[in-house]
Each structure stands twice: as C-alpha cells, then as structure tokens.
Amino acid sequence: MRILIIEDDKDTLQYIKTRLEERCFAVDTAETGEGGLRLAKANDYDLILLDHGLPGKDGMEVCREIRTQPELSRKGTPIIMISVTNEVDYKVAALDHGADDYVTKPFFFDELYARIQAVLRRPPVKETGRFELDDLSLDVASQKVVRGEKSVYLTKKEFALLEYLLRNKGHVVSRGAITEHAWDMNIDSLSNTIEMHILNLRKKLELPKKKKLIYSVPGRGYKIDVER
Ligand code: CA
C-alpha cells in the first residue's frame, strides 16, 4: 500500500512516516498543498493523509481540488484529514469537501492506523462519471447531455465547462478556476471567451419552461444550481 502524507510539521510527518513504514507501507511526503497535489497527480496512492493547516493552499482547498480536478478525482483516492480543530462544523465541511474520514490532533498512532485500515477496507469509490441537476444529466463516458427528454449537442469546450460546473454544483467557480481546470492549453486570448461559452450553454440548456441553472455571480464567477 502506498500512502501520501501532506503535512508541514516535520516532527508529525516523520513520526507518521516512520510508524507506517514499520508496517510496510510505502510512504511519500509533501510539506505543502501544492507539492502534495503534484505528487497526487504523478502517482497512484492508496490513501492520502492530509493536514489542514498548511502554508499556501490549506488542506480543505487541497481536498476540494483532489475531488474536483478531473485527472485527480478519477483516481478516487481516499483522503483522511488531520486537524487540530475539533468542531463539528469543521468536520462536516471536511467530509463535504470529499474527505473520507477525519482525525483530530493530537492523536495516538493506533487510532490513526485503525482509521487508515477502515478506509482501505472500503471498496474503492469508482467515479460514476454521471452528473445530474434538475432534469439535466451529463454522462462523461458517452459524452451525452440530456435535458428532460431532449438530447443536447455541446461543443467540446461547452461540455468541459458544463462538466466542471456540475462537479462544483452549488459552489461559485471563478473564471480563473475555469481557465485552470476546464480549458486546455489552447484557450483563446479573447477575454470574453468564457462568457461566450456560458451564454451558449444557457441558450442550449435553459429552454423555454425549463428552470434556470447557470448563474453569474458578479465579480466572483459562475454557479450551477437549482434556485430554491
Ligand atoms: Ca500543519
């Protein structure tokens, strides 16, 4: 079993690494969120131990990126978050962001180890690659988008944009995040290109008598959701 530990506290990092290696785990380490994300992309881990308090991107942000960046979320690697915070709201947020379990510092290694074993015993969560909202569905494998009974034809970029919005359903995504995650390297330099694709998506998806799904949030970005 290969484990990635993302933790900036050198003593904690070394302690967990040593104890896991004693139990025959292969262990890689990163001391920043960015470094951890790089390793998570490059290698296939059976589990990621993720500290919350990290310099730069914090653990919650890293967790969210692992669950929303297509190349990472596809791997479905389990994540155990580690934090000094013991508040329920925080734990709920961690689970909401895609963590599989949560350990509060300070912890006994045996507790962490038991949680690691429990998470590793779960059958791997294979991404279904299917997203649904209202009567809209998007299927990654077949590249099909359906609203109600009607199949909707999207260009490659519109599809990538819609998939990214749906992965972040209910959350505002910035134009920067869209450029980073949903666009390939050949993005047009035209600054209005994201707006243009959003507009096209709306035209194709928000047909008469259908609920509005895509919202602009001035100064922040876009969100896909059903208004309640
Ligand atoms: Ca820390």
Side-chain angles (χ1 to χ4, degrees):
M1 290 282 178
R2 189 172 182 189
I3 293 193
L4 171 64
I5 311 173
I6 309 175
E7 162 70 88
D8 63 318
D9 182 77
K10 288 191 171 60
D11 292 340
T12 309
L13 183 63
Q14 196 50 52
Y15 171 70
I16 304 174
K17 178 174 155 67
T18 306
R19 300 295 309 266
L20 285 173
E21 283 172 347
E22 285 167 9
R23 300 189 186 207
C24 298
F25 283 92
V27 180
D28 289 337
T29 61
E31 293 180 17
T32 62
E34 286 81 0
L37 284 167
R38 261 197 306 281
L39 285 175
K41 272 181 204 162
N43 307 305
D44 279 329
Y45 293 100
D46 297 295
L47 183 97
I48 298 172
L49 290 178
L50 176 58
D51 179 38
H52 175 253
L54 293 168
K57 275 182 189 162
D58 73 16
M60 204 72 96
E61 178 65 29
V62 173
C63 186
R64 193 161 131 75
E65 289 202 20
I66 291 174
R67 290 296 179 246
T68 54
Q69 287 191 14
E71 58 192 309
L72 283 168
S73 66
R74 223 170 271 138
K75 298 185 182 184
T77 313
I79 298 171
I80 298 180
M81 290 275 288
I82 302 172
S83 170
V84 288
T85 314
N86 196 18
E87 283 162 24
V88 172
D89 285 355
Y90 184 82
K91 293 182 184 179
V92 170
L95 299 174
D96 264 359
H97 280 74
D100 296 86
D101 202 355
Y102 186 99
V103 176
T104 308
K105 279 181 185 174
F107 53 82
F108 289 106
F109 179 77
D110 286 346
E111 185 199 347
L112 177 66
Y113 186 69
R115 287 179 186 274
I116 290 173
Q117 289 297 346
V119 168
L120 290 177
R121 273 197 300 271
R122 290 180 199 162
V125 185
K126 278 273 174 272
E127 197 191 314
T128 59
R130 191 179 160 83
F131 300 90
E132 288 178 354
L133 178 68
D134 189 43
D135 60 353
L136 170 72
S137 70
L138 176 148
D139 188 84
V140 178
S142 64
Q143 298 271 299
K144 270 200 176 140
V145 175
V146 177
R147 181 100 208 240
E149 303 290 300
K150 227 172 148 256
S151 182
V152 183
Y153 170 79
L154 299 182
T155 66
K156 261 173 81 177
K157 276 188 177 163
E158 288 161 3
F159 188 91
L161 179 56
L162 181 62
E163 182 187 344
Y164 186 65
L165 288 170
L166 284 168
R167 280 179 190 280
N168 292 281
K169 185 165 70 182
H171 295 277
V172 178
V173 292
S174 67
R175 293 162 45 101
I178 291 172
T179 311
E180 197 178 328
H181 300 306
W183 247 247
D184 55 33
M185 305 295 281
N186 307 315
I187 182 168
D188 318 343
S189 53
L190 286 172
S191 63
N192 67 352
T193 185
I194 292 176
E195 281 83 345
M196 200 178 74
H197 288 291
I198 290 275
L199 199 70
N200 290 339
L201 269 184
R202 281 192 177 137
K203 273 190 211 149
K204 292 181 180 183
L205 299 176
E206 295 173 355
L207 303 168
K209 294 185 188 160
K210 292 285 183 189
K211 277 185 193 149
K212 181 177 159 77
L213 297 177
I214 301 172
Y215 294 86
S216 299
V217 184
R220 292 181 59 207
Y222 301 98
K223 184 176 85 167
I224 195 162
D225 208 352
V226 181
E227 204 162 60
R228 279 165 247 274

